[in-house]
Amino acid sequence: MHEHPLQRFFRSLREQPIFAWERYQMRDVLVIDHPLCQAVFSRQGAQLLHFQPRGQKPWLWCAAKWPHVGAIRGGVPVCWPWYGRHPSENAWPSHGWARLLDWKLLDSSSADDGVRLHWQLQLCDWQVDLHAHLGERMELRLSTEHQDDMPCQLSQALHAYWRIGDVGEIALSGLEGAQGYDQLSRQSCQQEGELRVDGGCQRVFQHDGELQLKDHAWQRELCIDTGDSADTVVWHPGSRPLLGVTWDEISEFVCVEAAAGGTDSLHLAPGEKAHLSLQAWAAA
């Protein structure tokens, strides 16, 4: 088991503030040390990179090395205002602009049940807000407001990389019977039984609500709720290499994402809002 690269901020036994800005790999990161949990956000992308309730192993995976510029692989990237390839502009970055830009932290607060943060990004005629509540559970809520006077299209995802003991020893339950599309075989599929992903997986399921990530190597189970999003995406590269990620690291994560608008883009009228959420908690 490799130590999460951002656990370095929590090695000291000295008392430290709940919120503290640090500089790491050429990014500004917000280190959160609360009695219930530890977490790290990047200002770039308002990206939750590390989350660990007290007494538990980390819930999120993050690559040890980050590129000098560009997206950070790991945590929960905010893919917005499109995810995947742009439908018409091939030169534009995959998964949108949001994960490449610095967001504003409008508010952060601490209470007995954890911490709350409010991040915001203004881009042209769009406003997108990310609200996070972290404690014994993890909750992220994304809200987009279209401020132009013409209708527009949108797709978005909370692209979570879940930290696991070994990808060959996990199973996802809760998707039984769900209809989907297998992007590797390029054909429709229906999930039968538990889903295992050690050979590679890139499936988009028409599923919302709760599923269970069973991690046999770490002997734990995380409940993941994608809310009322249109799709639940499950992804792992299998034997395909990832730029900047070692082979050992690839076995330590699986992506289970909340997504909307990927198959049928969301159409927003002027002033209309779109919402996306992702929650997780440890099974009893």
Short mmCIF file of all heavy atoms in Angstrom, two decimals, residues 83 155-158 204 207 226 228-233 257-262 276-277:
data_model
loop_
_atom_site.label_atom_id
_atom_site.label_comp_id
_atom_site.label_asym_id
_atom_site.label_seq_id
_atom_site.Cartn_x
_atom_site.Cartn_y
_atom_site.Cartn_z
N TYR A 83 -18.28 16.90 -20.24
CA TYR A 83 -17.33 15.85 -19.85
C TYR A 83 -17.13 14.92 -21.04
O TYR A 83 -17.98 14.80 -21.92
CB TYR A 83 -17.76 15.13 -18.58
CG TYR A 83 -18.78 14.02 -18.71
CD1 TYR A 83 -18.37 12.71 -18.90
CD2 TYR A 83 -20.14 14.29 -18.60
CE1 TYR A 83 -19.30 11.69 -19.00
CE2 TYR A 83 -21.07 13.27 -18.69
CZ TYR A 83 -20.64 11.98 -18.89
OH TYR A 83 -21.57 10.97 -19.00
N SER A 155 -23.07 19.40 -20.25
CA SER A 155 -22.89 18.08 -19.65
C SER A 155 -21.86 18.24 -18.55
O SER A 155 -21.02 19.15 -18.58
CB SER A 155 -22.45 17.03 -20.68
OG SER A 155 -21.18 17.35 -21.23
N GLN A 156 -21.91 17.38 -17.54
CA GLN A 156 -21.07 17.57 -16.36
C GLN A 156 -20.90 16.25 -15.63
O GLN A 156 -21.71 15.32 -15.80
CB GLN A 156 -21.70 18.61 -15.43
CG GLN A 156 -23.13 18.29 -15.02
CD GLN A 156 -23.79 19.42 -14.25
OE1 GLN A 156 -23.14 20.34 -13.79
NE2 GLN A 156 -25.10 19.34 -14.10
N ALA A 157 -19.86 16.19 -14.81
CA ALA A 157 -19.62 14.98 -14.02
C ALA A 157 -18.79 15.32 -12.80
O ALA A 157 -17.96 16.25 -12.82
CB ALA A 157 -18.90 13.91 -14.86
N LEU A 158 -19.02 14.59 -11.73
CA LEU A 158 -18.15 14.55 -10.56
C LEU A 158 -17.41 13.22 -10.65
O LEU A 158 -17.94 12.15 -10.34
CB LEU A 158 -18.96 14.68 -9.28
CG LEU A 158 -19.62 16.06 -9.08
CD1 LEU A 158 -20.65 16.02 -7.95
CD2 LEU A 158 -18.57 17.14 -8.81
N VAL A 204 -21.31 3.31 -19.01
CA VAL A 204 -22.22 4.38 -18.58
C VAL A 204 -23.58 3.74 -18.34
O VAL A 204 -24.20 3.23 -19.27
CB VAL A 204 -22.33 5.48 -19.65
CG1 VAL A 204 -23.24 6.60 -19.16
CG2 VAL A 204 -20.95 6.03 -20.00
N HIS A 207 -28.56 4.85 -14.30
CA HIS A 207 -28.76 4.48 -12.90
C HIS A 207 -28.54 5.70 -12.04
O HIS A 207 -27.64 6.50 -12.28
CB HIS A 207 -27.77 3.38 -12.51
CG HIS A 207 -27.70 3.12 -11.03
ND1 HIS A 207 -26.87 3.83 -10.19
CD2 HIS A 207 -28.35 2.23 -10.23
CE1 HIS A 207 -27.01 3.40 -8.95
NE2 HIS A 207 -27.91 2.44 -8.95
N THR A 226 -25.09 8.58 -6.25
CA THR A 226 -24.96 9.55 -7.33
C THR A 226 -26.22 10.39 -7.49
O THR A 226 -26.40 11.07 -8.51
CB THR A 226 -24.64 8.84 -8.66
OG1 THR A 226 -25.63 7.85 -8.93
CG2 THR A 226 -23.27 8.17 -8.58
N ASP A 228 -29.81 12.02 -8.15
CA ASP A 228 -30.75 11.84 -9.26
C ASP A 228 -30.11 12.22 -10.59
O ASP A 228 -30.78 12.68 -11.51
CB ASP A 228 -32.02 12.66 -9.02
CG ASP A 228 -31.73 14.14 -8.83
OD1 ASP A 228 -30.55 14.54 -8.84
OD2 ASP A 228 -32.70 14.92 -8.66
N SER A 229 -28.79 12.04 -10.69
CA SER A 229 -28.12 12.28 -11.97
C SER A 229 -28.61 11.26 -12.99
O SER A 229 -29.11 10.20 -12.66
CB SER A 229 -26.60 12.17 -11.80
OG SER A 229 -26.24 10.88 -11.38
N ALA A 230 -28.43 11.58 -14.26
CA ALA A 230 -28.95 10.71 -15.31
C ALA A 230 -28.11 9.44 -15.46
O ALA A 230 -28.61 8.40 -15.88
CB ALA A 230 -28.98 11.46 -16.64
N ASP A 231 -26.82 9.51 -15.12
CA ASP A 231 -25.92 8.40 -15.39
C ASP A 231 -24.99 8.13 -14.20
O ASP A 231 -24.62 9.06 -13.47
CB ASP A 231 -25.03 8.69 -16.61
CG ASP A 231 -25.84 8.87 -17.89
OD1 ASP A 231 -26.77 8.08 -18.13
OD2 ASP A 231 -25.52 9.80 -18.64
N THR A 232 -24.61 6.86 -14.07
CA THR A 232 -23.50 6.47 -13.20
C THR A 232 -22.44 5.86 -14.10
O THR A 232 -22.71 4.91 -14.84
CB THR A 232 -23.96 5.45 -12.14
OG1 THR A 232 -24.89 6.08 -11.26
CG2 THR A 232 -22.77 4.96 -11.33
N VAL A 233 -21.25 6.42 -14.05
CA VAL A 233 -20.14 5.99 -14.91
C VAL A 233 -19.16 5.19 -14.07
O VAL A 233 -18.77 5.61 -12.98
CB VAL A 233 -19.43 7.19 -15.56
CG1 VAL A 233 -18.31 6.72 -16.48
CG2 VAL A 233 -20.43 8.06 -16.33
N GLU A 257 -18.60 7.56 -10.95
CA GLU A 257 -18.87 8.97 -11.15
C GLU A 257 -20.37 9.26 -11.24
O GLU A 257 -21.13 8.43 -11.75
CB GLU A 257 -18.22 9.46 -12.45
CG GLU A 257 -16.81 8.95 -12.69
CD GLU A 257 -16.39 9.14 -14.14
OE1 GLU A 257 -16.86 10.10 -14.79
OE2 GLU A 257 -15.59 8.31 -14.63
N ALA A 258 -20.74 10.44 -10.79
CA ALA A 258 -22.07 10.98 -11.07
C ALA A 258 -21.95 11.85 -12.32
O ALA A 258 -21.06 12.71 -12.39
CB ALA A 258 -22.57 11.81 -9.90
N ALA A 259 -22.81 11.63 -13.30
CA ALA A 259 -22.71 12.36 -14.56
C ALA A 259 -24.09 12.70 -15.08
O ALA A 259 -25.08 12.02 -14.77
CB ALA A 259 -21.95 11.53 -15.60
N ALA A 260 -24.15 13.75 -15.88
CA ALA A 260 -25.42 14.16 -16.50
C ALA A 260 -25.13 14.83 -17.83
O ALA A 260 -24.17 15.61 -17.95
CB ALA A 260 -26.19 15.12 -15.59
N GLY A 261 -25.93 14.51 -18.83
CA GLY A 261 -25.82 15.16 -20.12
C GLY A 261 -24.85 14.52 -21.08
O GLY A 261 -24.61 15.06 -22.15
N GLY A 262 -24.28 13.39 -20.71
CA GLY A 262 -23.30 12.77 -21.60
C GLY A 262 -23.94 12.10 -22.80
O GLY A 262 -23.42 12.17 -23.91
N LEU A 276 -26.07 18.55 -9.70
CA LEU A 276 -25.43 17.24 -9.69
C LEU A 276 -24.90 17.01 -8.28
O LEU A 276 -24.39 17.95 -7.65
CB LEU A 276 -24.30 17.21 -10.71
CG LEU A 276 -23.68 15.84 -11.05
CD1 LEU A 276 -24.71 14.96 -11.77
CD2 LEU A 276 -22.45 16.02 -11.93
N SER A 277 -24.99 15.79 -7.78
CA SER A 277 -24.51 15.53 -6.42
C SER A 277 -23.81 14.18 -6.36
O SER A 277 -24.05 13.27 -7.18
CB SER A 277 -25.65 15.57 -5.41
OG SER A 277 -26.54 14.48 -5.59
#
